[in-house]
Amino acid sequence: MSEAVTQNISMPQQAYNSAIRAKGLGRLASNAAIYTFANLASSAIPFLLLPLLTRVLTPEEYGIVSMYSTLLVALGAVAGLSIHGAVSVRMFDRETNHSQYIGTVLQILALSLFLILIVVLLCAPWLGAWLGLPTRWLVLAVFAAGAQFLINIRLVIWQIEGKARHYGSLQLIQVVLNVVLSLLLVLHVKLGWEGRLAGITVALYLCALWGGGALFYAKRINWHFNREYARDALRFGIPLMPHAVGSLFIGMGDRMIIASQHNLNEVGIYTAAMQLGLVISIIA
């Protein structure tokens, strides 16, 4: 009789456990779908804009846009010294003061951006001639790289917290701002390549303001500098720098070589052809 009672008690428990597992799997599938859609939307921007931009921009102008994107990736690889990954690790440590850690990381970012800005200004004559960019766009690119770092911090924290909808919303808003501003400035205001660069840059700035504001509103930032946290973040990020720089040359080296050996006109033609191949990459 006792076995029958035990069996009757365990059956509702088993049903409850099954319901919990099903709910967990459903949430996992939903979050995975949101992350996938948001990342696909971000990756599809160059391809979606390709038919329109290639009609109104010359190959040389399109080459300038490509080199600006390359510069953003290059600056992003060194801005903050790759320490945003340390935040994703430390968020799982309950003994860490997370808000103080994030505040310390952001102060390291500010210092690294200041040093990068000095280097960029010193190299501006050579760098501007190679990339086809005026000095003002080189400066704006430095701060755009910092904005992307801040956005990454906000996305990482939302991902760790399981807030896939917040994560996807920020990425999709950045996509919409990027596309709408670029089309408005290029097609209607007739700013040419500068309109496309402004669309990319302003979208990053606005989303960084939102991401930073969300961090501040959630009391995720404590500006008290902690040396131990700084050493921990740098120990994590600096060894990754060779990998980040290596990935940069693997992914962007082709355009750098073409720009140095030929001209921006050839870079524009090459970039347009390469982005057609992104369709296969996205499917893969």
Side-chain angles (χ1 to χ4, degrees):
M1 183 175 179
S2 62
E3 293 181 358
V5 172
T6 301
Q7 185 176 3
N8 290 334
I9 294 174
S10 64
M11 288 179 64
Q13 183 64 39
Q14 291 175 358
Y16 176 77
N17 291 340
S18 297
I20 291 296
R21 283 196 296 269
K23 183 178 179 180
L25 289 174
R27 183 179 180 185
L28 176 63
S30 175
N31 288 350
I34 292 173
Y35 291 135
T36 301
F37 179 76
N39 289 328
L40 282 176
S42 298
S43 302
I45 290 178
F47 178 73
L48 294 175
L49 290 177
L50 182 63
L52 295 171
L53 295 182
T54 51
R55 288 177 178 270
V56 296
L57 299 180
T58 66
E60 181 177 0
E61 289 178 319
Y62 202 75
I64 295 174
V65 173
S66 176
M67 295 308 293
Y68 183 77
S69 299
T70 302
L71 176 63
L72 282 181
V73 174
L75 294 174
V78 295
L81 306 175
S82 297
I83 59 176
H84 61 274
V87 175
S88 64
V89 175
R90 276 289 187 154
M91 286 297 294
F92 290 99
D93 184 4
R94 294 184 178 181
E95 296 182 359
T96 299
N97 185 327
H98 297 146
S99 61
Q100 193 174 101
Y101 196 91
I102 293 171
T104 300
V105 164
L106 293 179
Q107 290 178 71
I108 295 174
L109 169 66
L111 177 60
S112 70
L113 287 179
F114 176 72
L115 296 176
I116 291 170
L117 181 61
I118 292 175
V119 173
V120 167
L121 289 175
L122 291 175
C123 299
W126 169 80
L127 195 61
W130 180 39
L131 300 176
L133 293 168
T135 301
R136 65 178 182 276
W137 282 110
L138 299 178
V139 173
L140 290 171
V142 173
F143 294 108
Q148 185 62 66
F149 184 99
L150 184 56
I151 292 170
N152 289 340
I153 293 289
R154 179 67 274 188
L155 291 177
V156 160
I157 295 173
W158 272 334
Q159 193 169 29
I160 292 171
E161 294 173 342
K163 296 180 178 179
R165 292 183 180 179
H166 292 75
Y167 180 103
S169 297
L170 180 55
Q171 281 204 310
L172 290 177
I173 288 174
Q174 184 176 344
V175 169
V176 172
L177 286 172
N178 192 334
V179 172
V180 171
L181 289 174
S182 296
L183 294 180
L184 178 66
L185 295 173
V186 173
L187 300 180
H188 294 282
V189 185
K190 306 296 184 181
L191 290 180
W193 61 268
E194 289 195 279
R196 174 63 180 133
L197 268 55
I200 296 171
T201 306
V202 173
L204 283 170
Y205 288 170
L206 292 178
C207 288
L209 284 174
W210 179 26
L215 285 172
F216 183 79
Y217 181 78
K219 298 181 180 179
R220 288 288 192 179
I221 303 176
N222 181 341
W223 293 110
H224 178 73
F225 187 82
N226 187 303
R227 292 184 179 180
E228 181 57 36
Y229 288 166
R231 284 193 291 267
D232 178 80
L234 292 173
R235 280 197 300 266
F236 183 95
I238 290 179
L240 293 176
M241 292 299 297
H243 168 74
V245 174
S247 298
L248 167 67
F249 281 105
I250 291 173
M252 306 293 177
D254 47 5
R255 276 163 279 183
M256 295 178 181
I257 293 172
I258 293 173
S260 61
Q261 297 296 320
H262 297 282
N263 51 52
L264 292 173
N265 187 77
E266 299 297 325
V267 173
I269 296 172
Y270 174 81
T271 302
M274 182 190 67
Q275 287 177 347
L276 291 175
L278 285 178
V279 178
I280 299 174
S281 176
I282 291 174
I283 294 174

